[in-house]
Amino acid sequence: MYVIGELINGMYSNIALALKEKNKAIIQKCALDQIASGADALDISCGPASKQPLVDLSWLINTIQEVTDKPLCLDSGKPQVIAEGLKVCKNKTIINSTTADLDKLDAIVPLAKQYNSKLIGITISVKGIPQNKDQRLELAATIISHCTENGFPIEDLYLDPIVLPVNIAQAQMKDILATIQDFKLLADPGPKTVLGLSNVSQGTNLRSLINRTFLTMAVANGLDSAILDPTDKELMDALITAELILNKNIYCDSYLEAYRKK
Ligand code: THG
């Protein structure tokens, strides 16, 4: 499982404050804590409240690059912000994200190609968030054909079914899990899959339990990558154990420690 740390996001009040005060130490500690906990990459978002996202995202990237060369996942709905961020990134990148809308695809796919970046495609369009598996697959097919037509490798595409909070979309959860499996069948070689895990528990009061249960089920459905809080130790323990049961690593009595030493 490719773990993308979610914690550097202006949605979190400590990050919003650090951004405002240009406090590098808070951001750098947050980056290093996530990496020490097992993050393979870091999602970077200045959040919806940022008034100057171009400046803020570049500042975050430069600040983080001072302490790590892990890949950064540039999280913004604005192609201009992504383009600016890519210019200052020194290491591998993941663009988060394009939707299935043509204007978005036209702006983002060439950037992903130009910078040799991986790309997250979320199955959402101007019509909103899909309500069932067929609608998600239709949008996924649009994203895949646009990538293929423009020479972007499908192995570098991560499709995201868009996870909704279980307290408002309970009836869709089973469908979202099934979608993860079906995305893979849309191309050969197939696309990879990713999701924003913490969405599932927003507004609930047992967040960690709901997150780790959903993640375990998603892993069983073939999920390749997740944006999550790697400092949630029970979540990471559940992830490592799920992968053990799927025979992705070898059992020993101290398999959690052994995995973390890798
Ligand atoms: N797909 C993709 N990218 C994404 C998402 C996705 N990026 C953003 C988000 N979803 C994933 N990251 C988060 C980060 C934080 C939270 C949820 C998802 C979160 N934050 C607290 C909340 O809203 O309750 C913030 C509260 C606090 O200040 O602590 O839950 O789905 N491709």
Side-chain angles (χ1 to χ4, degrees), residues 180-191:
I180 295 168
Q181 286 193 31
D182 287 5
F183 276 163
K184 300 272 180 185
L185 306 174
L186 292 172
D188 185 13

Side-chain angles (χ1 to χ4, degrees), residues 42-64:
L42 301 173
D43 191 67
I44 312 295
S45 165
C46 38
S50 167
K51 292 200 180 68
Q52 38 173 1
L54 285 171
V55 180
D56 284 350
L57 193 73
S58 297
W59 180 80
L60 283 173
I61 293 166
N62 284 320
T63 301
I64 296 160

Side-chain angles (χ1 to χ4, degrees), residues 6 9 11-13 75 96 120 122 160 196 198-199 202 207 227:
E6 73 173 14
N9 190 315
M11 217 194 289
Y12 289 106
S13 46
D75 188 345
N96 185 13
I120 296 177
I122 53 177
D160 181 341
S198 301
N199 301 9
Q202 272 175 326
R207 294 202 66 169
I227 303 167

Side-chain angles (χ1 to χ4, degrees), residues 191-206:
K192 298 197 170 63
T193 51
V194 66
L195 45 78
L197 182 68
S198 301
N199 301 9
V200 75
S201 63
Q202 272 175 326
T204 70
N205 59 5
L206 288 173

